Amino acid sequence: MSSTDGKSSQDSIDASLSSDAPSMKHGQQSSDDLALRSKNDHPPMETSKSAPVSTVTSPTSTPEKKKGLFGKKVVSPFESRSGDRSKVTKSRSESTTDKSPSSENGKEGKSIVGKLLKKFNNNPRKAEDRTDIYVQPEKKIEESPSEEERQRAHTTSDANVNSNQRGSDEANRRMTDNPSSPREEKKKKEVVFIKKPKSNAEDRLVAHLLIIGVGKTLQPLSAKQSEKNMDLLSRVYKAEQLYSFPQVDKEFPPHLWMFCLPRGVQIETRDRGQTCFPFVLTSATGKRMYAYNITFWEPCSPEFIRDNLLPPKTAVDPKNLPSYFVPKCVCIISHHPHYAVFREWLVEFHKRIFNMKLTISVEQMMINFAMQVPAPPPRNLKVKFNIGEKLVSISRPPITSLPMSDFPMMYAFKVLSLRNLLTVFKCLLVEQKILLHSKHVTLLAYTCETLQLLMFPFEWPHVFVPNLPEVLMDFAFSPTPFIIGALTDFVLPIVDYIKQDVVIVDLDLDQISLPEEAFQLVELPEPESSILMQDLQKFFQSDILSLDNPQFNPYALSRNETSMATTNCYIQSAFLKFFVSIFRDYRQFMMYIRCLESPVAIFDIVNFLNLRPDAMPFFESFMETQAFSMFLEEHNRPKESIFNDWIDNAVYNFTIEDVISKLAPNQASKERFPEVVIVPEPKKLTKENTVEYTVFPVLDEFQLDEGYSLHLAEISKKAPKERADPRKQATPGPTPRELIVEEALETKQREHEVQEKVVRELSLKLVDPVVSEAPLSASEETQLLEFFKFEYGRKAFASALAEERKDEGRLSDASFTQTAEMVNSALREAASNLDFVAPRILVPLTFKYHHIADGAEDHLYNRVRKQDIWQNADFWEKAFFDSSSKQIRELYGGDVRKILRQAPNYTTVKRKELAAKELDEIFRLLSKFAFNMVNLGVAPDTIRRWMLKMCSMCSIEEDQAKILNQLLSNMSRANEMSKAEEEPLIRMGGFKKGDRYLPVGLTGRKEKSEGPELLFNFIEEKTEGKPNPLKKVHQTFKNNWFQKKRTVNQDMKSEEHDDYTVKTFIGHTEGVLSAVLTDMGPISGSCDGTIRVWNTFTAKCVSTMTGHTGWVNLLEIYDDGKLVSGSYDHSLKLWDINKCTKMHSMRGHKGSISCLAVKDARSILSGSYDNSINMWDTRHHTKSMLTFLGHAAPITCLVLEGNTMVTGSRDATLRVWDLRTGKSMKILKGHTDWVKSCRLQGDQIFSGSCDSTIRRWALNGEVTSSVLLEGHSGTVNALLWTDNSLVSASADSTVKVWSLNDTSPSATLQSHSDEVMDLVTFQTKVVSSSYDRSIKIWDLKLESLLCTLQGHGNRISSLRSYGNQILSTSWDNTVKLWQFPIDWRPRTV
């Protein structure tokens, strides 16, 4: 922050921010006063009478050095532009010239610099091929350029040139008509290069100083602005970057001028004064750069008016031309938000050029500020430097202090009432789209910056544009969260369209418009919210609060004048104290499951929420945000921060006054800045050479070149040892409210202890090995069952059973039977109450307690296998996280965070040893959990998905993951082989925000938001018309909002997008497993046992067909108007679609139907969990025509081609059948785990397995050979043959493409975040669906993602394509139909 900040409290916003003017007046000038600026650092040159040239000498010139060669591709103010003029106070008669020496008849290219630029710009190589030109080292020139050559390097701006002030034709020819001189020939051969400064841009306070203005010709901003009937002065034009200092290898984006001139360039008939305001630039990666801009107006030259503003061939006397003005900007670009200093420098810079005589040249001011002032590091250090005659200082607070706020945060609280500001704050925390508008540009910037600082220690990860130009207002239709500021007249035309889902804040009227569509604003937690409001009122409404105090004089004109630093400190402290209060315990819920090499933790959201049930809506909404995820990633490792410091000091018990006095930074303390770095002053001109300007001058390239050799003021890399922090105080005692809560908890705890004692006595009696009869009486059993209704009772029961016993868990038959009943009762109560504590204790006990039956041990787990709690994936995840976290603590002696702090000091060998120990422990723990899950009857696919997720989270190495998968397969096969029918799979929630647990540290970096990339590409498309990955999204903004029509009823929801329509059919009460599309509309089968027929056009469910008693998981059309369905009730049914009635039922399987295929209108084949395949005749439906036996496990896949059928099974084999004989022709062995998918293509068969491999089988002759295709790391769920390539989908979240003769994938398509389950062809593309709830369309030739279809609220269960339509079903109880145009052409991604 700057030490020169003024008072932040003012009476009127309009007075301080009106037009964002920097309190200066731009002088008027006539064409007679305009003169070419001469060089300040070269000796005077002799001039003829016909071509007088004004010069100013300087002792700093060094003619031995080569200067003035610069290779910027863009046209700068001193390349082929006519230059700005200066008025020399020394000699008015000698400073007037008649004609520029390098622009006769427009032949600017004859100057040396012009020729070099022309040579470079005409290079036929592409721009991206020229990068070596920029970095090539400078070649020395023995001879220095002559004065004539130097003079020719200065051309002037067309917008300001005066033809009456150019040199004569004779002088012009003398200076340009000798292009083939030896010196110029030598210069032609020189490489044009960009000079590079000796310091990094991020180490400097100023990265670049830019000049923005009008080019040689006016370019309309859009085609609409080019209409011939439009008045030239009513048009809006483009500006461009004229010059950058220091120059850059890669130019700034061409849209930069839009932020300097948000309204575009307009021609004015008078000087509009100056404006000064900040803005922020965001890259595609989300990195921000901070800018401050000053805009002023300059008169147009007669030539510019004649060429651009008058009809062609119009003869007008230059003296009779009207006056026109165009804007020009000086802009500071920096990596650091030192707004106060930037504004002060720009104001001083402009004032010295136009309103006072210069004692320091313009170039030296730029060199000193841009090349010599370092950016202060984040520690107690001040950098002091001069702005004009004033010595200013800047600093950056250390990481243990409040974040930097080098602007007055007071303005946000002046324009918005406290209640409205807190409303915006709530919207900010839940990542709503927020659009602020005002007539003051600077007010927008300050308010937007204030809002994001109020979130500290959280960060706003999405789009942040405090000053959005008018031409980019379409971005307000973006689907991603944003904070955008825009001028009011930019917002008014679109406000009616965006108010549906955008929070609109009018800063000028103190009004807020909340979204209309299903938006419910969550309330902040209490009492913290009330305390925050009180703290703010103490500061901003102290007068009102004191009115009842007799010592207060309400009639006195007393103003609470406080400095900007004090005000900002108070505001930030109040909001940080609020966050410290509500997140004081966050570290207790970080369960570390890995420490080395990279820490991985799990944040237990559910238990955290249980602490604050009263504020659960707020916490649930906030914890789903990206800001919260980034906060956990940032605080995964122990680190010094003011947030943790305040938690340790129990700031939530302090008053705001105590926080400011004891913990907040003391701005007045001199000891806070033990280091001071002083920047040398810029070089000053001699008194007789003092100059002043009436327009912005032409910059002297030779003088600016000197800046590249300068070094930054030196800053010590090591910070001095700081004294002990006197601000840390002893933690105060608990508040009265906390004492009351603590006393109530103690009372409740004592009651529970008495009841737990009773439960323990009954439980120990239950498992007493001495008792031969039922150990508990009926009354005791009832009493124990009553205790099971409470969590403490179930926990006490499980803990009592877990006590050590000498008999090793052997019970009598009666005791074992009653124990099994009690355990089942406890587990049922736990499942209904989502209690994971007692079941976790009981898991190992089910393997401990047993009795002898038929001479063998019968364990308790055999009696509790059917409990629902075992099928709850959240339970196993919680149990594993708790166990692994405990295991890590035991490995490191209890204090994991201490180990994380010490880890950077460990040797590489020690870190690897500890990491290996962690992996071994996790490997053993996963093996143990897999064993328990298999024996407790968890569905095998659920176990596999759980294992895959845990391996990924724990960073298990690939070879160990394969061992675990193989171990799991062996256990599953041994346990399930004897079962004829598999239990239906239980849906398991994916690891996503909003679930019970939030993973931290998996990526090793901050989560990236799509918003900044979307904005960057949107701007690029607007300015350059380049194709970009998000072009499709950009072009849908207006269509999605201006033309979108939604029709919603109880049956269907339709949404029209720019290139497709999605229709959602709603009506099933449980998950939808299958669907087909007919001419009438979709037909869907569901877990609710029904089949629904839908009409696409009327949006109605035509009929609900019932008959099945189990899940309807398979549907196929076998004839015109005829449907066959397969179900978990072991039957198939035939339906007449036109009549919506059941025709026949076909029974014969003893297990659920697992797969279905239609051979023709008469023949249907079905595979089942009973290990058999049946062939049915639709005309004779009483029993199957043929039964194919041979597989030893359930059938998983079935494909047909002619009279050949191929089936895959859980017995890890495939069989090839002849449908005519019903016999198995071949048995294909090779897989080591279940076969999940197969594909028959000619004489080749492709199969995918749970062993993560694909096999290609050749069926030529009697000998069957196979080729192993490896590449996936998870189950191969689906195979597809298209365009002579094989496409596979896997549980490893990838889609892979395989060439016919290769054993490794030719392409890997990655975008899904969970298992990929289905593949279909769509037009010439491939479509995949995943458990991550998305559908993706891929181009295999480009190996790229074309489109992502999102809308399902749960896992996608099936996927089909029909011409230009895609049909999907999901566990969210819906069916979606995605309709595309016949000639749909996806946009390039």
Side-chain angles (χ1 to χ4, degrees):
M1 56 183 66
S2 170
S3 65
T4 63
D5 305 323
K7 304 295 183 182
S8 60
S9 176
Q10 299 181 21
D11 291 335
S12 173
I13 295 298
D14 290 337
S16 59
L17 295 174
S18 179
S19 300
D20 303 286
S23 302
M24 63 181 75
K25 185 176 181 181
H26 183 56
Q28 300 289 337
Q29 59 278 330
S30 64
S31 60
D32 295 336
D33 294 329
L34 304 179
L36 284 173
R37 179 187 172 206
S38 58
K39 299 183 181 48
N40 295 335
D41 59 347
H42 303 299
M45 58 183 291
E46 296 182 4
T47 59
S48 64
K49 294 181 179 180
S50 59
V53 179
S54 168
T55 62
V56 178
T57 62
S58 173
T60 60
S61 62
T62 54
E64 290 78 18
K65 294 182 180 180
K66 172 196 170 188
K67 298 179 180 180
L69 296 177
F70 47 96
K72 194 120 176 92
K73 182 178 178 181
V74 297
V75 183
S76 71
F78 41 82
E79 289 176 13
S80 57
R81 297 197 183 287
S82 51
D84 305 301
R85 275 73 53 194
S86 64
K87 179 175 65 179
V88 183
T89 61
K90 177 182 177 183
S91 174
R92 179 68 176 267
S93 61
E94 295 178 3
S95 64
T96 308
T97 59
D98 295 325
K99 196 164 186 178
S100 176
S102 61
S103 58
E104 181 188 24
N105 298 326
K107 297 180 180 179
E108 302 140 335
K110 289 192 175 183
S111 68
I112 290 178
V113 176
K115 290 187 176 184
L116 288 171
L117 290 171
K118 183 176 181 181
K119 174 182 176 181
F120 175 72
N121 292 332
N122 291 338
N123 192 334
R125 296 162 63 189
K126 295 181 179 179
E128 56 268 24
D129 298 332
R130 297 192 204 145
T131 54
D132 57 327
I133 296 179
Y134 289 104
V135 299
Q136 203 159 354
E138 177 181 355
K139 296 184 179 180
K140 294 184 178 180
I141 302 178
E142 296 180 0
E143 300 182 33
S144 62
S146 68
E147 284 301 320
E148 292 182 355
E149 292 164 349
R150 289 175 178 167
Q151 195 68 19
R152 286 196 297 272
H154 289 270
T155 57
T156 54
S157 173
D158 283 311
N160 299 316
V161 79
N162 190 328
S163 61
N164 295 327
Q165 296 170 334
R166 297 189 177 184
S168 65
D169 294 343
E170 181 180 354
N172 193 27
R173 284 194 297 271
R174 278 203 309 269
M175 303 181 79
T176 58
D177 284 350
N178 188 20
S180 58
S181 64
R183 181 173 292 148
E184 292 204 39
E185 288 296 329
K186 184 175 183 179
K187 286 182 180 291
K188 287 182 180 180
K189 298 177 182 179
E190 290 298 328
V191 176
V192 179
F193 61 91
I194 292 292
K195 285 182 175 289
K196 291 187 176 181
K198 294 184 178 295
S199 57
N200 189 288
E202 294 188 10
D203 296 332
R204 302 193 302 268
L205 174 63
V206 176
H208 295 279
L209 287 169
L210 304 181
I211 311 297
I212 306 293
V214 179
K216 294 174 62 177
T217 58
L218 290 175
Q219 301 181 38
L221 187 59
S222 62
K224 184 179 179 181
Q225 299 291 336
S226 302
E227 296 177 2
K228 294 183 179 180
N229 58 351
M230 180 177 287
D231 181 19
L232 293 175
L233 298 183
S234 301
R235 295 179 180 178
V236 180
Y237 303 94
K238 295 181 180 179
E240 62 182 75
Q241 176 186 320
L242 302 177
Y243 185 61
S244 168
F245 178 76
Q247 298 178 21
V248 289
D249 296 354
K250 185 178 180 180
E251 296 174 25
F252 282 100
H255 64 262
L256 178 63
W257 69 267
M258 297 181 183
F259 293 88
C260 298
L261 298 164
R263 299 182 184 275
V265 174
Q266 291 179 297
I267 308 299
E268 297 287 348
T269 57
R270 63 185 179 89
D271 189 338
R272 305 289 295 183
Q274 301 85 41
T275 55
C276 192
F277 56 85
F279 59 89
V280 177
L281 298 172
T282 306
S283 69
T285 61
K287 185 177 181 180
R288 295 175 187 169
M289 293 193 74
Y290 306 91
Y292 222 107
N293 170 76
I294 187 169
T295 303
F296 48 92
W297 293 77
E298 292 190 336
C300 300
S301 70
E303 287 81 359
F304 183 83
I305 295 173
R306 184 177 60 247
D307 295 342
N308 295 277
L309 303 178
L310 296 178
K313 299 181 181 180
T314 301
V316 181
D317 187 351
K319 296 181 180 180
N320 297 328
L321 287 175
S323 296
Y324 293 106
F325 294 82
V326 291
K328 182 171 283 187
C329 307
V330 179
C331 182
I332 295 173
I333 305 292
S334 175
H335 291 276
H336 314 285
H338 291 277
Y339 291 134
V341 169
F342 297 157
R343 183 182 181 100
E344 189 170 357
W345 187 88
L346 285 172
V347 170
E348 182 70 18
F349 183 68
H350 183 275
K351 181 174 67 175
R352 284 180 168 268
I353 294 175
F354 296 107
N355 297 85
M356 63 186 297
K357 295 181 179 179
L358 280 177
T359 57
I360 304 172
S361 70
V362 176
E363 292 79 4
Q364 287 300 325
M365 290 183 68
M366 295 173 63
I367 290 172
N368 178 257
F369 193 53
M371 306 297 285
Q372 292 184 281
V373 180
R379 67 176 194 250
N380 293 337
L381 178 143
K382 272 189 177 181
V383 175
K384 294 186 176 183
F385 59 95
N386 284 82
I387 296 181
E389 305 300 330
K390 190 175 184 180
L391 184 65
V392 299
S393 62
I394 56 174
S395 64
R396 286 172 63 195
I399 58 175
T400 55
S401 298
L402 295 170
M404 186 175 69
S405 55
D406 199 20
F407 62 92
M409 299 175 68
M410 168 72 76
Y411 286 117
F413 292 82
K414 279 193 171 186
V415 296
L416 293 175
S417 65
L418 292 181
R419 190 165 301 279
N420 277 348
L421 190 135
L422 288 182
T423 299
V424 179
F425 179 64
K426 296 173 193 176
C427 298
L428 197 69
L429 293 182
V430 295
E431 295 186 349
Q432 288 290 314
K433 306 176 199 175
I434 301 176
L435 175 62
L436 301 95
H437 65 91
S438 171
K439 61 183 178 181
H440 303 290
V441 184
T442 303
L443 179 61
L444 288 169
Y446 287 170
T447 306
C448 290
E449 289 281 10
T450 298
L451 288 176
Q452 71 161 356
L453 277 179
L454 297 184
M455 290 185 65
F456 180 81
F458 303 93
E459 298 179 8
W460 179 259
H462 306 288
V463 171
F464 180 75
V465 187
N467 176 20
L468 189 67
E470 184 176 18
V471 71
L472 301 179
M473 282 307 297
D474 282 355
F475 194 80
F477 300 93
S478 167
T480 61
F482 55 69
I483 298 177
I484 287 178
L487 292 172
T488 299
D489 52 347
F490 297 174
V491 176
L492 293 180
I494 63 171
V495 69
D496 290 336
Y497 303 101
I498 63 175
K499 65 183 181 182
Q500 302 175 29
D501 74 335
V502 177
V503 178
I504 304 174
V505 183
D506 188 336
L507 298 181
D508 299 329
L509 300 178
D510 187 18
Q511 294 178 352
I512 299 177
S513 170
L514 296 178
E516 297 178 350
E517 289 190 355
F519 177 77
Q520 184 175 1
L521 189 63
V522 295
E523 295 299 327
L524 298 177
E526 291 291 351
E528 292 85 358
S529 177
S530 297
I531 294 173
L532 175 61
M533 175 63 82
Q534 293 171 9
D535 291 342
L536 295 174
Q537 287 175 339
K538 288 179 184 179
F539 190 83
F540 293 103
Q541 300 175 3
S542 58
D543 292 350
I544 298 176
L545 298 178
S546 303
L547 283 174
D548 295 335
N549 187 347
Q551 305 299 324
F552 174 73
N553 183 6
Y555 307 105
L557 296 177
S558 60
R559 298 182 61 187
N560 184 20
E561 294 287 353
T562 56
S563 68
M564 183 187 80
T566 302
T567 302
N568 290 0
C569 179
Y570 189 99
I571 295 171
Q572 290 179 278
S573 298
F575 280 88
L576 181 57
K577 176 174 173 281
F578 167 78
F579 283 118
V580 168
S581 299
I582 65 176
F583 287 106
R584 66 181 80 170
D585 301 315
Y586 84 96
R587 287 178 292 188
Q588 299 178 16
F589 299 91
M590 297 278 283
M591 300 184 297
Y592 287 90
I593 58 177
R594 287 292 304 274
C595 286
L596 302 172
E597 294 284 339
S598 177
V600 177
I602 298 298
F603 186 78
D604 191 346
I605 293 180
V606 172
N607 284 334
F608 180 87
L609 292 176
N610 289 337
L611 289 180
R612 300 295 303 269
D614 57 317
M616 190 170 292
F618 166 77
F619 284 109
E620 286 178 339
S621 299
F622 183 61
M623 289 182 179
E624 291 179 355
T625 64
Q626 195 169 337
F628 184 73
S629 298
M630 291 175 59
F631 169 81
L632 293 181
E633 293 286 348
E634 186 71 20
H635 291 76
N636 188 24
R637 295 177 181 269
K639 57 177 291 186
E640 290 187 1
S641 68
I642 189 173
F643 184 69
N644 290 334
D645 184 30
W646 283 22
I647 290 177
D648 295 337
N649 284 276
V651 170
Y652 41 83
N653 292 328
F654 289 5
T655 63
I656 187 63
E657 293 80 9
D658 290 338
V659 172
I660 298 297
S661 62
K662 296 177 181 179
L663 293 177
N666 185 2
Q667 302 295 333
S669 175
K670 294 182 179 179
E671 295 182 357
R672 184 167 170 258
F673 297 100
E675 293 181 271
V676 176
V677 175
I678 300 178
V679 179
E681 295 185 32
K683 297 178 182 178
K684 293 187 178 181
L685 296 172
T686 59
K687 185 176 182 180
E688 57 272 17
N689 288 338
T690 303
V691 296
E692 63 178 271
Y693 301 100
T694 56
V695 292
F696 193 82
V698 174
L699 298 176
D700 189 335
E701 177 69 12
F702 303 109
Q703 194 175 163
L704 288 174
D705 278 352
E706 295 179 356
Y708 290 94
S709 61
L710 297 178
H711 294 271
L712 289 172
E714 187 174 355
I715 295 179
S716 173
K717 294 184 179 179
K718 293 185 178 179
K721 293 184 179 179
E722 298 184 6
R723 302 177 183 178
D725 191 349
R727 296 176 287 134
K728 292 191 176 181
Q729 306 290 331
T731 303
T735 62
R737 178 178 178 272
E738 290 180 328
L739 289 174
I740 295 173
V741 174
E742 185 177 348
E743 184 178 352
L745 291 175
E746 290 178 355
T747 303
K748 192 174 183 180
Q749 183 65 28
R750 285 193 295 269
E751 294 176 357
H752 286 175
E753 288 177 357
V754 175
Q755 296 167 343
E756 287 171 3
K757 185 177 180 180
V758 176
V759 175
R760 180 178 179 276
E761 292 175 355
L762 294 175
S763 303
L764 292 178
K765 183 179 179 181
L766 178 66
V767 292
D768 188 349
V770 179
V771 180
S772 58
E773 298 180 355
L776 297 182
S777 64
S779 60
E780 291 174 328
E781 186 174 325
T782 302
Q783 186 180 10
L784 193 58
L785 291 175
E786 286 297 319
F787 281 124
F788 287 168
K789 295 180 180 179
F790 306 98
E791 183 178 355
Y792 71 87
R794 295 188 294 269
K795 182 179 178 181
F797 169 72
S799 299
L801 297 186
E803 293 183 7
E804 293 186 5
R805 299 169 54 88
K806 296 181 180 180
D807 56 6
E808 298 181 352
R810 182 173 175 178
L811 303 175
S812 65
D813 293 346
S815 179
F816 180 82
T817 301
Q818 195 172 41
T819 300
E821 292 175 357
M822 292 295 102
V823 171
N824 276 311
S825 298
L827 290 174
R828 280 193 294 269
E829 289 289 346
S832 61
N833 291 279
L834 292 178
D835 170 24
F836 295 163
V837 178
R840 181 187 165 194
I841 300 173
L842 290 172
V843 167
L845 301 181
T846 61
F847 296 87
K848 173 183 177 182
Y849 288 103
H850 63 279
H851 75 125
I852 303 301
D854 298 330
E857 292 184 351
D858 181 18
H859 285 82
L860 189 59
Y861 67 80
N862 290 317
R863 304 295 183 94
V864 298
R865 288 173 58 92
K866 295 184 179 181
Q867 288 298 322
D868 292 340
I869 191 70
W870 309 135
Q871 307 298 340
N872 190 323
D874 289 339
F875 163 74
W876 293 106
E877 290 173 1
K878 169 65 174 173
F880 175 76
F881 297 150
D882 288 341
S883 299
S884 57
S885 178
K886 179 181 178 181
Q887 188 173 262
I888 289 294
R889 290 196 302 271
E890 292 175 351
L891 180 64
Y892 292 113
D895 194 348
V896 177
R897 299 184 75 87
K898 180 180 179 181
I899 296 298
L900 290 174
R901 284 190 291 267
Q902 297 174 351
N905 300 324
Y906 290 164
T907 63
T908 304
V909 175
K910 184 175 181 179
R911 283 200 300 269
K912 289 184 177 179
E913 289 178 356
L914 292 175
K917 287 183 180 179
E918 289 181 10
L919 280 175
D920 291 341
E921 293 295 328
I922 291 173
F923 182 83
R924 285 193 288 269
L925 191 62
L926 284 172
S927 302
K928 178 182 176 181
F929 267 75
F931 175 81
N932 292 343
M933 294 172 76
V934 168
N935 284 282
L936 286 172
V938 182
D941 281 355
T942 301
I943 304 176
R944 293 176 190 278
R945 290 195 294 272
W946 178 88
M947 183 67 71
L948 179 66
K949 183 182 296 182
M950 296 303 104
C951 288
S952 175
M953 290 194 58
C954 298
S955 301
I956 296 294
E957 296 178 358
E958 186 176 354
D959 55 344
Q960 290 181 312
K962 287 184 177 180
I963 295 174
L964 283 172
N965 279 329
Q966 188 60 47
L967 177 65
L968 179 60
S969 298
N970 295 338
M971 288 190 293
S972 299
R973 192 176 298 111
N975 192 66
E976 300 292 336
M977 276 293 187
S978 60
K979 296 177 66 179
E981 179 179 356
E982 183 58 55
E983 294 291 332
L985 294 183
I986 304 299
R987 288 178 283 161
M988 184 186 70
F991 231 127
K992 53 191 176 299
K993 289 186 288 188
D995 282 350
R996 296 179 60 88
Y997 315 103
L998 187 63
V1000 183
L1002 294 183
T1003 58
R1005 58 179 176 83
K1006 290 184 178 180
E1007 190 176 350
K1008 181 183 176 183
S1009 172
E1010 296 178 355
E1013 184 180 359
L1014 185 67
L1015 172 63
F1016 184 84
N1017 288 276
F1018 176 70
I1019 295 174
E1020 187 177 57
E1021 179 181 317
K1022 277 282 187 179
T1023 54
E1024 300 182 6
K1026 292 182 178 180
N1028 58 74
L1030 298 170
K1031 184 177 180 181
K1032 172 185 175 295
V1033 181
H1034 303 157
Q1035 292 186 352
T1036 64
F1037 286 166
K1038 278 193 174 179
N1039 291 336
N1040 283 351
W1041 291 99
F1042 282 84
Q1043 302 174 10
K1044 182 172 66 175
K1045 297 178 181 178
R1046 294 183 176 182
T1047 55
V1048 182
N1049 56 44
Q1050 60 179 1
D1051 301 312
M1052 189 194 79
K1053 176 182 177 182
S1054 178
E1055 298 181 14
E1056 296 182 6
H1057 299 261
D1058 63 335
D1059 54 356
Y1060 67 89
T1061 299
V1062 56
K1063 297 182 178 180
T1064 304
F1065 301 86
I1066 304 171
H1068 284 292
T1069 59
E1070 294 187 39
V1072 185
L1073 301 182
S1074 58
V1076 293
L1077 187 64
T1078 66
D1079 294 339
M1080 179 182 294
I1083 302 176
S1084 56
S1086 168
C1087 295
D1088 60 14
T1090 67
I1091 299 173
R1092 285 181 178 254
V1093 182
W1094 308 89
N1095 188 303
T1096 303
F1097 305 101
T1098 63
K1100 297 291 184 181
C1101 175
V1102 176
S1103 177
T1104 300
M1105 301 187 294
T1106 59
H1108 282 296
T1109 59
W1111 293 3
V1112 182
N1113 59 320
L1114 298 166
L1115 295 175
E1116 293 290 346
I1117 300 294
Y1118 70 91
D1119 198 1
D1120 186 21
K1122 302 296 188 295
L1123 176 76
V1124 58
S1125 61
S1127 170
Y1128 273 85
D1129 63 5
H1130 309 177
S1131 72
L1132 289 87
K1133 296 184 184 297
L1134 305 181
W1135 309 82
D1136 187 322
I1137 301 174
N1138 298 322
K1139 297 180 181 180
C1140 295
T1141 58
K1142 182 180 68 176
M1143 298 190 298
H1144 305 288
S1145 294
M1146 298 187 294
R1147 302 184 181 275
H1149 284 298
K1150 297 179 180 180
S1152 300
I1153 311 300
S1154 59
C1155 44
L1156 191 64
V1158 175
K1159 183 178 183 292
D1160 50 44
R1162 297 168 50 186
S1163 304
I1164 298 173
L1165 291 111
S1166 60
S1168 170
Y1169 282 106
D1170 63 5
N1171 309 347
S1172 70
I1173 304 100
N1174 282 350
M1175 186 172 182
W1176 309 84
D1177 189 333
T1178 57
R1179 298 168 300 175
H1180 306 285
H1181 43 76
T1182 53
K1183 63 179 181 179
S1184 61
M1185 296 168 52
L1186 287 173
T1187 299
F1188 302 83
L1189 299 175
H1191 282 296
I1195 311 301
T1196 55
C1197 52
L1198 183 157
V1199 292
L1200 297 174
E1201 189 172 298
N1203 289 315
T1204 301
M1205 176 176 65
V1206 179
T1207 57
S1209 169
R1210 290 187 180 180
D1211 61 9
T1213 68
L1214 294 96
R1215 286 179 179 261
V1216 184
W1217 309 84
D1218 189 331
L1219 296 181
R1220 294 166 294 188
T1221 63
K1223 295 183 178 180
S1224 173
M1225 298 187 294
K1226 293 181 182 295
I1227 302 175
L1228 309 180
K1229 298 181 178 181
H1231 285 296
T1232 60
D1233 208 338
W1234 298 353
V1235 177
K1236 286 296 293 290
S1237 54
C1238 60
R1239 177 68 57 177
L1240 178 59
Q1241 189 67 31
D1243 60 354
Q1244 293 189 102
I1245 297 174
F1246 298 92
S1247 59
S1249 168
C1250 291
D1251 62 11
S1252 306
T1253 66
I1254 301 171
R1255 286 188 177 270
R1256 183 173 72 234
W1257 311 84
L1259 301 181
N1260 297 327
E1262 295 184 0
V1263 180
T1264 302
S1265 60
S1266 69
V1267 177
L1268 184 64
L1269 309 180
E1270 294 182 293
H1272 283 297
S1273 59
T1275 299
V1276 180
N1277 292 319
L1279 295 172
L1280 179 69
W1281 179 265
T1282 179
D1283 292 337
N1284 295 321
S1285 297
L1286 180 70
V1287 186
S1288 59
S1290 171
D1292 62 9
S1293 307
T1294 67
V1295 176
K1296 293 184 182 291
V1297 184
W1298 311 78
S1299 298
L1300 186 60
N1301 299 319
D1302 292 338
T1303 58
S1304 58
S1306 59
T1308 299
L1309 309 178
Q1310 294 179 318
S1311 182
H1312 286 294
S1313 59
D1314 206 338
E1315 287 195 49
V1316 187
M1317 298 303 299
D1318 260 323
L1319 293 171
V1320 296
T1321 57
F1322 172 68
Q1323 297 178 353
T1324 59
K1325 312 300 184 295
V1326 170
V1327 184
S1328 61
S1329 66
S1330 167
Y1331 278 166
D1332 66 6
R1333 313 176 185 183
S1334 72
I1335 300 170
K1336 297 182 182 293
I1337 303 178
W1338 308 86
D1339 190 317
L1340 299 188
K1341 295 180 180 179
L1342 299 177
E1343 299 179 6
S1344 62
L1345 176 65
L1346 298 179
C1347 183
T1348 298
L1349 308 179
Q1350 293 181 324
H1352 280 299
N1354 209 318
R1355 293 179 171 180
I1356 297 172
S1357 53
S1358 72
L1359 183 72
R1360 297 202 180 196
S1361 65
Y1362 298 86
N1364 63 325
Q1365 301 180 98
I1366 297 173
L1367 185 66
S1368 61
T1369 63
S1370 170
W1371 286 97
D1372 63 5
N1373 307 352
T1374 67
V1375 182
K1376 286 185 180 289
L1377 182 63
W1378 314 80
Q1379 298 176 320
F1380 293 79
I1382 297 177
D1383 57 347
W1384 178 69
R1385 294 183 180 181
R1387 290 164 173 77
T1388 305
V1389 176

